Amino acid sequence: MTYCDGPKDDSAGGGARSVLRLFFGYLAKALLVAVPLLTPQFASVPYVRQMAIVGGDEKKAGALLSLVVLGLVFVYEAAERGIPRLDAARLRDDYLRQLVKKLPPEVARQLRFNVMIARRRWYMLFIGREFQWTASRGFDLCHRDVKLWLAAWQGVCGAAFRDQQVKFVDLRGVPPLEASCWKFWQNPFRLFKWQLQRTQHVQAILSVPMVLKRGDGGNPSFVKVGVINVDAVTNDGAEFLAANWEQMRKPLLEAGALLGAIR
């Protein structure tokens, strides 16, 4: 059976940093586009002309300039996107660990937690986003669904993400779901056959959307970021979720709002 329920930083320093990041981002891309125009001037620099790798050849100087600019763009992108994402993943993992510690040990051992962020990938094209695991607790290597790939429209988590509502599903007593290799729409969770096979041991799932609120006043907007999943692979864990999911809903929604703001 399925049940449903339906900090803002305005500091001047934060604004200045945002402007600088935007400026350097456009500058790096503009330099990349302007490489053909800058090549003659770059090749005429005495130090560049004397370099063995250039040997006075303007084409080689242009190739060297391109590599230098590409290196700058790579460093910028790593500093702007890669490092902050790693820091955000660590923060989510630390927060999730503290959240699990608040539960009685005998309960925490029966449950599994994971935080997934919905991201757009170039290979997804027009079919939407995919979930990226960023933190988890309670998963063992023997669990076949560790870091299971899911599109943002699949599973209980996909329904929670799409509807921006808490979803709880008790799978005990439910006949095993089946689907052919491609007819994933034959089951309510839109899972492919291989995904169903890897999740057959799951007995109950609680999925909470991570929604980021933007703006204040009477007309705020809400941005879907990802989901927090809590599931059980034992009967005792499923029993606990079935009896307590409504009480867990509010703290998990609050945690989702906080974790969603960590980008």
Side-chain angles (χ1 to χ4, degrees), residues 166-233:
V166 176
K167 304 285 185 178
F168 173 71
V169 177
D170 191 339
L171 296 170
R172 293 174 297 172
V174 176
L177 299 174
E178 296 182 359
S180 64
C181 291
W182 298 107
K183 294 182 179 180
F184 55 88
W185 59 84
Q186 290 181 339
N187 63 82
F189 305 124
R190 302 177 183 176
L191 296 177
F192 296 114
K193 184 177 182 179
W194 65 272
Q195 292 170 318
L196 288 172
Q197 292 172 343
R198 291 177 60 180
T199 55
Q200 287 180 351
H201 59 295
V202 179
Q203 298 198 31
I205 305 172
L206 172 63
S207 192
V208 179
M210 296 165 55
V211 181
L212 183 61
K213 181 181 178 181
R214 295 189 183 276
D216 297 318
N219 190 30
S221 61
F222 297 90
V223 179
K224 299 184 291 185
V225 178
V227 294
I228 300 176
N229 264 5
V230 186
D231 66 27
V233 295

Side-chain angles (χ1 to χ4, degrees), residues 112-174:
R112 306 187 306 175
F113 298 78
N114 69 304
V115 178
M116 298 190 293
I117 304 299
R119 299 199 186 280
R120 295 192 182 277
R121 305 294 189 188
W122 64 267
Y123 49 80
M124 295 290 286
L125 298 178
F126 55 86
I127 60 176
R129 290 178 273 187
E130 69 173 12
F131 283 125
Q132 177 189 14
W133 285 48
T134 62
S136 62
R137 281 290 179 274
F139 285 82
D140 296 327
L141 292 177
C142 62
H143 293 157
R144 296 171 52 187
D145 57 342
V146 174
K147 293 190 179 295
L148 177 71
W149 182 88
L150 287 169
W153 41 265
Q154 290 184 300
V156 181
C157 53
F161 178 75
R162 179 183 65 249
D163 299 338
Q164 298 185 43
Q165 294 180 337
V166 176
K167 304 285 185 178
F168 173 71
V169 177
D170 191 339
L171 296 170
R172 293 174 297 172
V174 176

Side-chain angles (χ1 to χ4, degrees), residues 91-110:
L91 286 173
R92 292 190 190 100
D93 189 69
D94 290 340
Y95 189 89
L96 186 60
R97 182 173 63 252
Q98 297 301 322
L99 192 66
V100 174
K101 278 185 177 180
K102 295 179 181 180
L103 294 172
E106 63 275 9
V107 172
R109 285 193 295 268
Q110 302 290 337

